[in-house]
Amino acid sequence: MFFYRIYQIFIMLPILLVLTILAALITITGCALGSGRWFGYYPAHYWAKCWCWLAFVRVSVRGRENIKIGRSYVFVANHQSAYDIFSIYGFLNHQFRWMMKKSLERIPLVGYACRVAGHIYVDKHSPAAVRQTMETAEKRLSGGMSVVVFPEGSRTKDGHIHGFRRGAYMLAMEFGLPVVPVTVDGAYDVLPPNALLMRPGRITLTIHKPLEAGEQGHDLQQLMEQSRQAIISALPQKNR
């Protein structure tokens, strides 16, 4: 572990810093040239893979057959650590945009890259801001584009899954989209809360079957509970 830490500090992290800057610059440039759909996803997709590969974090995916290329979904996932982002971004292999806290827009360079890439900053400061967020989401959810949301709102502090907020589900109801639960297992052990450096490990993504809207649309409470139970079903007992 001592040599791994030396590797992280002097080799891995400097490389990842350079890759982060490059990915952001390529995204900004490509989107400015009018290729936002490709450049809004793939530079960060490969950047996320590098975060896993260089840290010796291996990601496996189950249930990829449950989703179809070219179809829009609202993906909802549990939030164990920052490595949820890298594993989903790098290995879900489905065009999507994140719904993220507006405060993340303040991250130098990266925040702006996320905006031009088409990720959706959620602003809850006023009813008008919420409406603007929904209008932005409607524009993004076209042509097979999807969104990914962490309905817990923030990372777990104890490794257990916590209550879900309804924002992602309201989005699915508004646009009649299927909700796809995604279980992230292992990210908490790779990067526990308050840890400065990650650990080598294995993360498993389980893509569950879509929860389709019925003739009358989605039932909010049922949708939230079904998705939560699906996510829990693929977690070990210690994380439920």
Side-chain angles (χ1 to χ4, degrees), residues 59-64 77-78 83-84 86-93 182-185 203-208 234:
V59 181
S60 58
V61 182
R62 301 171 180 168
R64 201 187 300 280
N78 58 310
Y83 261 83
D84 303 337
F86 304 133
S87 56
I88 291 173
Y89 222 156
F91 298 91
L92 184 63
N93 292 357
V182 178
T183 303
V184 183
D185 177 29
I203 296 173
T204 301
L205 299 181
T206 302
I207 304 170
H208 300 276

Side-chain angles (χ1 to χ4, degrees), residues 3-15 197:
F3 292 107
Y4 178 69
R5 293 305 185 207
I6 296 297
Y7 159 75
Q8 280 186 314
I9 294 169
F10 293 104
I11 300 177
M12 185 190 80
L13 291 178
I15 292 173
L197 294 171

Side-chain angles (χ1 to χ4, degrees), residues 34-51:
S35 301
R37 188 175 182 87
W38 196 94
F39 283 97
Y41 176 73
Y42 282 101
H45 169 71
Y46 291 112
W47 164 82
K49 283 180 178 287
C50 289
W51 269 89

Side-chain angles (χ1 to χ4, degrees), residues 29 34 47 53 86 91 108-109 134 142 148 170 190 218 224 231:
T29 303
W47 164 82
W53 291 336
F86 304 133
F91 298 91
L109 191 62
M134 294 296 286
S142 61
V148 176
M170 296 295 291
V190 168
H218 288 296
M224 293 176 68
I231 290 171

